[in-house]
Amino acid sequence: MKDKFIKKLKRSWLAIWIAFAAAALSTIGVLAAYTSVSSVKRVVSTQKGAGMLFSSNYLTTDENDLPRTITFSSMENSPCVTVNVCNYPQTLIKHNDKDITYTLTVELVDSNGNVVTGEETAKYSVEYNGEKKTFGSNSKIEFSLLKLMADDFNKHEFVLTFDKSQLTRSDIYMRVTATPTNQAELKPLSAKLGVIYINNNTSATWTGTFIDNATSPKDLDDFNYRLSGSGEGTVTLTWNTNYVDISPWFKNTYVLTISKDSSGIATATLKVNSAEKNQYDIQFYRTNGINSAEQWSDGNHTDIMVTDTGFVSMSFTQSATKEN
């Protein structure tokens, strides 16, 4: 009787051990399915500074401080520009998991960055959360102790109001800077913004250029390409899918219809109107490895060339003038 009990017990432990081993192997298989991915393309932001979960629709981490002008109709009595500061990339991938405290400063300057003073500064103002501030003798406005909460996708909006005379003589700009005060890894965002009046007789111009600060294309995994300009019309984008392809987010956001020929050249058109939006930042990601012959076409990073073949190119067709 005792021997039978021991044999039965051994059989039970053997079954338990087999079940445990099978479960362990199953777990290893599941883990392998999630950990054996050979490589995943790195997705970078489509706007400089946005990848650090602190971004803006107008402000960037670029340090060139070149002035930017936003176009308006001649019917606009008080040209206003709304600048937002967010705790997420402009692509809305995710939001910062920490509160962000920062200070926003706005200075009145000319196109060279020199401070503008005088009685006319009182014609300019900045409004945030119902509080409107005009420029005083030091030509500077500051909003301090601002906080973007980490509980959700959050943004602050600042309304910059310009003197209407700037629509015809754009020589005064607002230099806006958002400086984080509690997260050292976040870079300040800034831009020098102005306004201008564009009429139907003004020649429209749109250009495209790579905006990454790199010595060589071979230093980059992905590329940020900026379309910017004034006027209304159609931009035709062309890129070589043997080297790069366009960001799915940009494609889906702007509902691009893309065609591709047998050689891998892709083409898409985008309707543009600077009265609505005067800048588009697009990410292109590599489809193949780095080519040793890659080089910038010029010092301004206008294009990336491989044996005289460009990665991305664009052309612009202005809309016909409308009859009144």
Side-chain angles (χ1 to χ4, degrees), residues 27-246:
T27 302
I28 292 172
V30 171
L31 287 175
Y34 284 95
T35 60
S36 65
V37 179
S38 59
S39 66
V40 178
K41 287 188 180 294
R42 178 173 63 88
V43 178
V44 300
S45 69
T46 57
Q47 175 168 339
K48 283 186 170 292
M52 297 177 293
L53 305 180
F54 183 59
S55 73
S56 169
N57 59 337
Y58 282 110
L59 313 182
T60 74
T61 58
D62 291 339
E63 298 178 355
N64 55 28
D65 199 31
L66 295 176
R68 291 184 53 193
T69 53
I70 295 89
T71 58
F72 286 87
S73 163
S74 60
M75 302 299 291
E76 185 64 56
N77 291 319
S78 290
C80 298
V81 179
T82 300
V83 174
N84 67 42
V85 178
C86 315
N87 70 339
Y88 53 83
Q90 296 294 294
T91 50
L92 284 168
I93 297 172
K94 61 176 291 187
H95 63 77
N96 203 310
D97 60 1
K98 300 177 182 177
D99 292 346
I100 301 173
T101 58
Y102 70 99
T103 297
L104 187 119
T105 58
V106 187
E107 299 173 279
L108 279 185
V109 297
D110 61 21
S111 57
N112 294 319
N114 301 312
V115 174
V116 174
T117 59
E119 294 181 359
E120 62 182 350
T121 61
K123 299 177 182 178
Y124 300 79
S125 64
V126 182
E127 182 175 347
Y128 165 69
N129 199 26
E131 181 183 7
K132 186 174 183 178
K133 297 184 178 182
T134 56
F135 290 89
S137 57
N138 64 350
S139 300
K140 186 176 182 179
I141 287 174
E142 181 174 287
F143 293 90
S144 59
L145 301 177
L146 300 174
K147 181 181 288 189
L148 288 163
M149 303 298 291
D151 60 343
D152 203 348
F153 291 84
N154 287 307
K155 70 178 179 181
H156 295 159
E157 292 188 335
F158 304 85
V159 180
L160 282 54
T161 301
F162 291 78
D163 177 17
K164 185 180 179 180
S165 67
Q166 291 302 294
L167 292 175
T168 55
R169 55 177 188 87
S170 183
D171 57 359
I172 296 181
Y173 295 80
M174 292 196 201
R175 182 163 56 200
V176 185
T177 305
T179 306
T181 56
N182 71 323
Q183 293 192 44
E185 68 274 18
L186 298 180
K187 296 182 179 180
L189 304 172
S190 64
K192 189 165 24 179
L193 305 174
V195 295
I196 194 170
Y197 160 51
I198 294 292
N199 61 31
N200 290 334
N201 296 321
T202 302
S203 178
T205 303
W206 284 77
T207 58
T209 185
F210 290 93
I211 60 173
D212 297 294
N213 292 323
T215 303
S216 164
K218 294 188 285 290
D219 297 335
L220 301 170
D221 297 327
D222 305 87
F223 307 95
N224 293 294
Y225 187 79
R226 175 169 294 168
L227 291 174
S228 58
S230 62
E232 183 178 358
T234 301
V235 166
T236 300
L237 275 172
T238 304
W239 62 95
N240 192 330
T241 60
N242 296 305
Y243 300 119
V244 295
D245 210 346
I246 199 167

